[in-house]
Amino acid sequence: MSGYVEFARVYDTLMSDVDYAAMAQRYNSLITENGITGGILLDLACGTGSLSVLMAQKNRDVIGVDISQEMLSTAKRHDKVTYICQSMTELDLYGTIDACLCVMDSLNHLTDETEVQKTLERVSLFMNPGGVFVFDMNTIYKHETILADNIYIKQSDNVYCIWQNDYQGNGIVDITLEIFMEGQDGLYERFTEEIRERAYETDVIRKLCEKSGFEIINITEEDNERVVFVCRKKRV
């Protein structure tokens, strides 16, 4: 899994089309509707903290966890957000949480089923009974058909990115990002980021959730490309 060492420098620029406000509203509603109106929320694989801060503004104490120190070094700040640099599979918190978000296909970065289960188990370990876990994942259809072996271009005023996909089979796609960033002197710096993601069958993830101490509240598939899971930590 990539640590987004170089990509962190341009991540927010290239993700400027993401409607984080709408995302925060949607996920906050899902958590609230399932009984968690406040308490501590974990934003797992929080990146630069765009969603973390918005969730903190909704009367939640937020812990943002990400494997990339570079991403966290550029994270948005808020007095109700605490950032920790950790791997998802090695999650180790100081106390319990009431809810967890892991969105924008972050779990797809785990390319071994045992890594997914370990992450789910770690979230379950630190979640209070009745707590709500919401996460999304890319579908196999998206990896096979939308990403596949296609090339995409993303650009802004001073960043140009060539996004090249190489589908490996078994739900796995290798992504190479060739990024050109314009400096103050008008010259462009080039760097490369390599990422591997894997998509899983929905039933596989359902079983891993149940095995890790969660009950499924709802599963929603969006345009065959993304699946949103809403789970609750089982009460003893």
Side-chain angles (χ1 to χ4, degrees):
M1 181 173 60
S2 168
Y4 280 168
V5 174
E6 296 291 349
F7 193 34
R9 299 163 61 188
V10 296
Y11 182 84
D12 285 333
T13 299
L14 291 176
M15 303 301 285
S16 60
D17 59 338
V18 176
D19 192 344
Y20 284 103
M23 187 184 302
Q25 183 60 44
R26 176 191 183 186
Y27 291 132
N28 187 65
S29 294
L30 280 175
I31 294 169
T32 300
E33 289 167 4
N34 284 286
I36 309 299
T37 57
I40 299 176
L41 178 140
L42 171 64
D43 185 7
L44 189 59
C46 66
T48 59
S50 296
L51 184 60
S52 302
V53 168
L54 290 171
M55 295 304 292
Q57 292 172 356
K58 297 183 181 298
N59 195 35
R60 299 185 188 277
D61 292 312
V62 178
I63 301 172
V65 168
D66 200 273
I67 194 174
S68 171
Q69 185 62 59
E70 288 77 15
M71 294 287 269
L72 294 178
S73 70
T74 62
K76 285 75 178 171
R77 302 297 159 180
H78 189 285
D79 59 3
K80 294 182 71 175
V81 178
T82 300
Y83 293 108
I84 303 174
C85 187
Q86 287 182 348
S87 165
M88 289 188 284
T89 59
E90 302 296 332
L91 181 68
D92 189 11
L93 303 177
Y94 299 107
T96 57
I97 57 175
D98 302 288
C100 178
L101 293 176
C102 187
V103 297
M104 296 185 69
D105 59 85
S106 294
L107 285 175
N108 289 109
H109 286 267
L110 304 176
T111 57
D112 189 302
E113 188 176 313
T114 59
E115 293 180 324
V116 178
Q117 182 172 355
K118 187 174 181 180
T119 298
L120 295 175
E121 289 174 347
R122 298 303 292 179
V123 173
S124 178
L125 176 64
F126 291 102
M127 182 170 284
N128 290 320
V132 176
F133 183 20
V134 179
F135 63 92
D136 66 25
M137 298 187 77
N138 288 341
T139 63
I140 291 179
Y141 171 83
K142 180 176 181 178
H143 281 203
E144 288 182 341
T145 307
I146 305 301
L147 297 182
D149 295 317
N150 294 317
I151 297 175
Y152 298 98
I153 303 296
K154 299 194 75 171
Q155 59 183 328
S156 67
D157 291 340
N158 64 341
V159 177
Y160 184 83
C161 176
I162 303 171
W163 181 306
Q164 182 170 335
N165 303 297
D166 185 9
Y167 187 66
Q168 302 294 315
N170 195 33
I172 295 174
V173 61
D174 287 333
I175 302 168
T176 301
L177 305 175
E178 293 286 350
I179 300 170
F180 300 83
M181 183 171 62
E182 185 179 13
Q184 293 183 346
D185 56 4
L187 299 177
Y188 278 84
E189 178 184 0
R190 175 183 175 181
F191 55 89
T192 302
E193 190 79 44
E194 295 184 347
I195 302 165
R196 170 169 281 196
E197 293 193 13
R198 180 182 176 186
Y200 298 85
E201 294 286 356
T202 299
D203 281 347
V204 169
I205 302 302
R206 179 202 298 271
K207 291 176 182 177
L208 292 181
C209 287
E210 293 172 347
K211 200 172 180 180
S212 302
F214 292 102
E215 58 180 341
I216 303 295
I217 300 173
N218 187 52
I219 299 176
T220 303
E221 187 168 309
E222 302 175 339
D223 301 324
N224 295 319
E225 294 186 27
R226 185 180 302 272
V227 182
V228 178
F229 295 80
V230 183
C231 312
R232 178 179 285 112
K233 172 70 178 292
K234 293 177 183 177
R235 300 180 187 276
V236 179

